Amino acid sequence: MMKKVTKAIFPVAGLGTRFLPATKSIPKEIMTLVDRPLIQYAIDEARAAGIKEFIFVTARGKSALEDYFDIAPELENTLRKKGKTELLQNLKSTNMDSGQIAYIRQNKALGLGHAVWCARRLLGNEPFAVILPDDVIAAEKPCLQQMIEAHAETGGNMVAAMEVPPEMASSYGVLDVREDMGSVVSVKGMVEKPAVNEAPSNLAVIGRYILTPDIMRNLNRAKSGAGGEIQLTDAIAEEIATSDNVYGFRFRGQRYDCGSKAGFLHATVAFGLAREDLRGEFSQFLDQMTATKNAAQ
Ligand code: UTP
């Protein structure tokens, strides 16, 4: 029987240079969409998908992340005394039990593949998920849950994929599709950031993965790939070549690239508008902005 996916790795050791100077002192993952840090969206998605163990690959300067998942007794007491029950519930819903979270340090930012490899000793002989918190996905059914359900049918390795226009493909890892079965595609190759017009398909890989222990074995042997970093894509490509058990999954939902400034702004607007308590005032403001912009043209 196939083993259940109960562990997820959250690689959060990147330098976040696209958000300097903010990321000089705060981790990118603590930056907020409306009132929740990016990492909270990732944790909620993982929990909804049945993940029980949360493994963070962190780095120097990321201690705010560790503190965020600790309990906050003073805050909780104050809110309780003041009878602010809703806020208290909101706060407590972010608490994690002792032993549910593990932190591992990646002491040099040698790439995503290397970050995943740093967690190797915390994984058993079972498939595990990888979630990149800067890819935030708004979906009726959380993306990782959709993937775990599909993975129960296919087994092997699975990467989340979305259709992108051809001119965008060179910013992503792109799938070379063997067979298209609808939501699931089987994959015969994967190219990291292909040159314009050389992308094998319009299916781009984004930051959700279900991987087998074989990927760790490949990372163990990894040589530096594109950009001098150890790429996760290379370890997956090697798996395609040797064992032919890699699938792409077209998830249902809207993905926001919160690792980029424009994507973060898009997400802020979308999540702001999705909030009942903000929608009225915020959409009025956006309408005004649009009217002012149109009048100026
Ligand atoms: P990015 O490519 O977005 O890099 O990493 P970054 O450092 O976070 O941001 P920029 O490009 O400098 O602005 C994708 C994911 O992989 C993690 C990051 O934390 C992010 O979640 N990562 C990347 C690591 O954990 N370690 C690395 O060495 C590289």
Side-chain angles (χ1 to χ4, degrees):
M1 218 187 85
M2 195 152 21
K3 288 186 180 145
K4 269 184 116 175
V5 182
T6 58
K7 297 186 182 188
I9 302 178
F10 300 81
V12 290
L15 298 174
T17 53
R18 282 170 290 172
F19 278 99
L20 281 170
T23 44
K24 201 173 149 195
S25 71
I26 49 164
K28 175 169 68 173
E29 300 73 22
I30 285 291
M31 297 200 315
T32 52
L33 276 182
V34 190
D35 51 9
R36 296 156 80 75
L38 289 185
I39 195 69
Q40 187 66 54
Y41 292 91
I43 290 281
D44 289 349
E45 182 180 332
R47 268 181 168 158
I51 296 299
K52 304 279 182 257
E53 289 180 51
F54 304 79
I55 301 164
F56 284 74
V57 182
T58 70
R60 284 179 296 283
K62 301 267 181 174
S63 50
L65 259 174
E66 298 188 23
D67 293 339
Y68 177 78
F69 286 111
D70 207 337
I71 56 168
E74 294 89 352
L75 260 176
E76 285 183 18
N77 277 337
T78 311
L79 293 176
R80 197 172 296 115
K81 272 190 208 141
K82 291 190 170 164
K84 300 200 167 174
T85 344
E86 207 177 311
L87 276 178
L88 181 64
Q89 274 325 103
N90 206 348
L91 181 67
K92 286 177 90 169
S93 70
T94 63
N95 291 351
M96 304 287 281
D97 289 340
S98 295
Q100 259 199 320
I101 295 199
Y103 301 95
I104 285 274
R105 280 231 174 164
Q106 182 190 28
N107 52 20
K108 276 191 196 147
L110 292 177
L112 176 58
H114 182 261
V116 169
W117 178 78
C118 287
R120 66 199 177 281
R121 294 195 203 289
L122 296 178
L123 300 165
N125 189 26
E126 62 206 36
F128 57 93
V130 176
I131 295 188
L132 306 190
D134 41 11
D135 273 340
V136 175
I137 302 171
E140 222 161 273
K141 182 184 279 187
C143 179
L144 188 64
Q145 192 181 345
Q146 295 176 35
M147 288 176 77
I148 287 181
E149 285 171 13
H151 183 260
E153 306 286 322
T154 60
N157 299 278
M158 183 171 273
V159 300
M162 68 174 195
E163 280 164 17
V164 294
E167 68 275 13
M168 294 299 294
S170 54
S171 311
Y172 294 90
V174 178
L175 299 180
D176 195 353
V177 174
R178 181 194 312 278
E179 193 186 347
D180 194 332
M181 296 163 277
S183 308
V184 176
V185 302
S186 67
V187 172
K188 64 175 179 200
M190 198 162 146
V191 192
E192 186 64 31
K193 302 191 172 62
V196 181
N197 299 328
E198 281 178 20
S201 77
N202 66 348
L203 277 180
V205 175
I206 60 116
R208 302 287 182 277
Y209 308 80
I210 297 174
L211 302 175
T212 58
D214 290 341
I215 297 291
M216 279 298 178
R217 189 202 54 209
N218 297 348
L219 286 171
N220 270 331
R221 286 198 304 259
K223 303 259 186 322
S224 287
E229 295 190 332
I230 297 176
Q231 303 285 352
L232 187 57
T233 309
D234 292 344
I236 299 174
E238 194 183 333
E239 198 53 23
I240 298 170
T242 55
S243 58
D244 187 24
N245 65 355
V246 178
Y247 301 90
F249 179 73
R250 285 191 181 93
F251 60 95
R252 295 170 299 284
Q254 176 67 45
R255 170 257 191 185
Y256 297 96
D257 175 11
C258 292
S260 80
K261 283 182 269 238
F264 200 97
L265 290 172
H266 294 177
T268 301
V269 173
F271 280 75
L273 287 174
R275 283 275 293 261
E276 241 171 74
D277 53 335
L278 298 170
R279 191 180 299 140
E281 188 189 334
F282 190 39
S283 60
Q284 214 178 356
F285 169 74
L286 291 177
D287 290 346
Q288 266 170 20
M289 292 288 282
T290 317
T292 317
K293 186 174 152 256
N294 289 344
Q297 273 170 0

